[in-house]
Amino acid sequence: IAVVADATKLDVWVEDCSIVMANMHLMADSLGLGSCYIGDIIEHFEYHRELLNLPPYVVPAAMLCIGYPTEQQLSRPKPPRHAVSDLVHENGYSLEKSHEMSRMLSQQQGKEGEDLTDWLNRFCNRKWNSEFSREMSRSCTEMVKDWGREE
């Protein structure tokens, strides 16, 4: 299947790519394989385009590494998850659940009743206000600019 991507359909083809990646992850798991989604492939667009010899309008939107997990990976504890009842909204969005986010995060982090402001600020700075995040935004901008250039 070939898809011609342009900047006006960016959301559609990124969603399609995400759906394919999720299905590949599930298929790998069903075969006893581990997988790791690498979203950072969007960084350094120009480098990856050259490395992978990508033609115009083809961008590295996602990468999935698949392989057999090591014994250590199989035996390590899974990270704590939120309760399904906290996450699922039935027949509409429940604003009350949004107000419970602080409680949910503190339980997940094993810090019930604690103020998570410092933790949230560190997380935000590490994830969204970082050089990594700025580079990802720059690369995405360059991908879109590239579509407007004449061949």
Side-chain angles (χ1 to χ4, degrees), residues 43-84:
E43 285 185 277
H44 308 290
F45 164 64
E46 300 85 353
Y47 171 78
H48 290 116
R49 178 174 56 187
E50 184 178 325
L51 176 73
L52 301 169
N53 194 31
L54 299 175
Y57 309 106
V58 175
V59 296
M63 178 171 38
L64 189 68
C65 298
I66 299 175
Y68 291 100
T70 65
E71 191 57 45
Q72 183 268 339
Q73 290 168 321
L74 289 171
S75 63
R76 76 173 164 223
K78 299 281 185 209
R81 305 288 184 200
H82 294 295
V84 172

Side-chain angles (χ1 to χ4, degrees), residues 124-135:
C124 182
N125 286 332
R126 185 178 73 246
K127 185 74 173 170
W128 304 113
N129 300 332
S130 64
E131 182 59 35
F132 149 81
S133 183
R134 285 188 288 281
E135 167 53 29

